[in-house]
Amino acid sequence: VVGGLERNPAHFVWNLASVLVSITAMAAYAFWIDADDLGGRLGLNFTLVLTAVAFKYTVASNLPKIPYLTSMDKLVLGSFASLALCGLEHVVA
């Protein structure tokens, strides 16, 4: 007997990736804060980083442990990089 199983990625896209993309997109709100309010900008950015880290640990606890990067892992790393670059931009500007 031969059978095949296939994972439907729609659950991960709608319930996980969309939330992470939304968290990362909220970093744009920091640019509406006055440029002189560095604390407000960095506070928002740091809050989003902490939210993304908490989300990553929650997601990781529900996904199987595998020794390679999945598309979700790459999305999480891209999210962290985007948030870090936004924070760096606030400090430099």
Side-chain angles (χ1 to χ4, degrees):
V1 175
V2 177
L5 296 176
E6 186 175 314
R7 183 176 294 186
N8 183 0
H11 166 76
F12 296 103
V13 171
W14 291 112
N15 293 319
L16 304 178
S18 63
V19 173
L20 188 60
V21 168
S22 298
I23 292 168
T24 305
M26 286 182 207
Y29 293 140
F31 294 102
W32 289 342
I33 299 173
D34 188 33
D36 294 332
D37 187 10
L38 181 61
R41 284 180 163 212
L42 289 178
L44 176 60
N45 196 64
F46 190 66
T47 301
L48 291 172
V49 168
L50 289 176
T51 303
V53 168
F55 186 74
K56 183 214 181 310
Y57 280 110
T58 302
V59 168
S61 69
N62 293 318
L63 294 177
K65 309 287 187 257
I66 52 176
Y68 56 87
L69 289 176
T70 63
S71 297
M72 190 67 193
D73 294 327
K74 292 174 187 175
L75 180 66
V76 168
L77 291 174
S79 174
F80 289 151
S82 296
L83 291 171
L85 288 174
C86 282
L88 182 63
E89 192 279 333
H90 298 319
V91 172
V92 172

